[in-house]
Amino acid sequence: MTHFLDIHKTDPADLRNMLDQAGAMKTARAGMPKGTPDADQPLANHMVALIFEKPSTRTRVSFDLGVRQMGGQTMVLSGSEMQLGHGETIADTARVLSRYVDLIMIRTFEEDVLLELAEHASIPVINGLTNRSHPCQIMADVMTYEEHRGPIKGKKVVWCGDGNNVFASFAHAAGQFGFDLTFAGPEVLDPEQVFIDEARAKGVTVEIDRNPERAVEGADLVVTDTWISMHDSQTARERRHNLLRPYQVDEHLMSHANPDALFMHCLPAHRNEEATDGVMDGPHSVIFDEAENRLHAQKAIMRWCLGV
């Protein structure tokens, strides 16, 4: 079964083919109204279940629109509607949905839910996000970088902030696409060592640097993410702000990167916290290209999963 569960679990040649196809589909749609169907309708007669245990804007809209543009139909299900794993088992839910739909995208909390769903489904499953990784986002990020600056192989990417699920997928991508990665953040928020080790095992440089100005020297891409989760308590939020404030991406920090360095943030952002308005709206920023490319990258991922 052709699941898309994590970048490091997918062959690099397949990843490259997805990005090539995403770029071709984006180019073919240039200037068209958003609701215009693609000339090619590869998902005609296909039904896609979009499961959201976690709220979403970009993931929901981009997947839903992508399916429709390619001629398919969607069924959007929330965690409260399904109570996944709290009544019927996840394994049985996977077997039932496999009888109804052709593809499942799930945005959930625990990675185990994703893995169990994929294990028991007889249709492809796509990881729309878990607490440990966010592969669709990073496929869009690599696509965005290469649109603006050419091949990402051999470039230096610097992550500022929390070693979270988005960083984990950047580490997976570093190994598969061949770019170097530096994490700049407080020790208490370091990424899991396994993510670093897996990337290093594939021959790329992955470093940790507590000095953000030194970390971004020579950077081709600087990336950050929100410091807080919607589920954090007020006390937790204040603690994280105190820990992460030295790693805010501001104009001064970006001046230490390469002059043509790009800035990315997967959004939603808490402006003037993890990054300043001056950076987010400045000449280095490609955050809205990055958001748009979720649509095109995910369309290519769905086509790869379904073999269409």
Side-chain angles (χ1 to χ4, degrees), residues 172-227:
H172 293 156
Q176 299 295 70
F177 289 101
F179 58 84
D180 296 329
L181 182 62
T182 298
F183 172 79
E187 184 175 3
V188 70
L189 296 177
D190 274 356
E192 292 182 43
Q193 188 64 38
V194 64
F195 301 139
I196 294 173
D197 292 342
E198 287 170 345
R200 286 173 174 168
K202 295 186 177 179
V204 297
T205 299
V206 182
E207 298 180 339
I208 293 177
D209 195 329
R210 307 297 174 200
N211 183 318
E213 293 182 0
R214 185 174 60 213
V216 301
E217 290 288 345
D220 300 293
L221 171 61
V222 178
V223 191
T224 192
D225 192 9
T226 182
W227 290 349

Side-chain angles (χ1 to χ4, degrees), residues 3-286:
H3 301 304
F4 186 75
L5 303 180
D6 268 316
I7 289 175
H8 69 307
K9 296 178 180 179
T10 308
D11 186 88
D14 289 332
L15 295 171
R16 176 53 58 193
N17 288 337
M18 285 183 233
L19 292 185
D20 289 346
Q21 186 171 63
M25 287 189 290
K26 181 177 182 178
T27 299
R29 288 197 61 83
M32 294 169 58
K34 305 300 186 293
T36 305
D38 290 352
D40 185 13
Q41 295 281 276
L43 264 62
N45 302 316
H46 286 76
M47 176 64 73
V48 179
L50 306 177
I51 302 173
F52 293 93
E53 287 200 296
K54 295 187 76 168
S56 168
T57 299
R58 277 149 294 279
T59 301
R60 176 166 180 166
V61 174
S62 56
F63 266 107
D64 198 349
L65 179 59
V67 172
R68 294 171 189 237
Q69 287 180 348
M70 294 191 291
Q73 298 183 64
T74 60
M75 179 180 296
V76 180
L77 303 166
S78 70
S80 60
E81 289 171 321
M82 299 186 67
Q83 296 188 359
L84 196 63
H86 298 291
E88 186 173 54
T89 66
I90 295 168
D92 284 351
T93 298
R95 295 182 181 107
V96 169
L97 289 178
S98 296
R99 301 296 182 100
Y100 293 147
V101 303
D102 302 291
L103 175 67
I104 299 169
M105 186 289 303
I106 182 167
R107 181 180 172 93
T108 188
F109 293 92
E110 300 303 323
E111 183 184 53
D112 287 349
V113 173
L114 168 76
L115 298 179
E116 187 172 354
L117 194 72
E119 179 183 356
H120 294 281
S122 57
I123 58 174
V125 173
I126 294 174
N127 176 3
L129 175 140
T130 72
N131 288 347
R132 291 197 78 213
S133 64
H134 197 0
C136 292
Q137 178 64 57
I138 275 48
M139 289 293 285
D141 291 357
V142 173
M143 177 181 177
T144 305
Y145 182 87
E146 295 194 337
E147 278 184 340
H148 287 268
R149 297 290 185 263
I152 198 169
K153 184 174 182 179
K155 302 299 184 180
K156 179 180 178 179
V157 177
V158 178
W159 176 276
C160 292
D162 180 10
N164 62 11
N165 54 349
V166 186
F167 175 85
S169 286
F170 257 111
H172 293 156
Q176 299 295 70
F177 289 101
F179 58 84
D180 296 329
L181 182 62
T182 298
F183 172 79
E187 184 175 3
V188 70
L189 296 177
D190 274 356
E192 292 182 43
Q193 188 64 38
V194 64
F195 301 139
I196 294 173
D197 292 342
E198 287 170 345
R200 286 173 174 168
K202 295 186 177 179
V204 297
T205 299
V206 182
E207 298 180 339
I208 293 177
D209 195 329
R210 307 297 174 200
N211 183 318
E213 293 182 0
R214 185 174 60 213
V216 301
E217 290 288 345
D220 300 293
L221 171 61
V222 178
V223 191
T224 192
D225 192 9
T226 182
W227 290 349
I228 60 175
S229 166
M230 66 186 74
H231 306 288
D232 287 340
S233 67
Q234 184 60 34
T235 301
R237 290 174 183 228
E238 291 174 2
R239 178 172 176 269
R240 291 175 71 84
H241 275 103
N242 290 335
L243 286 167
L244 289 163
R245 192 169 289 114
Y247 299 95
Q248 181 190 66
V249 182
D250 58 15
E251 294 90 326
H252 174 73
L253 186 63
M254 285 300 301
S255 72
H256 288 268
N258 284 340
D260 64 346
L262 298 181
F263 169 77
M264 291 189 192
H265 187 308
C266 68
L267 304 179
H270 295 83
R271 282 174 172 261
N272 298 309
E273 291 185 9
E274 61 267 16
T276 60
D277 282 339
V279 171
M280 295 190 69
D281 299 324
H284 299 283
S285 178
V286 289

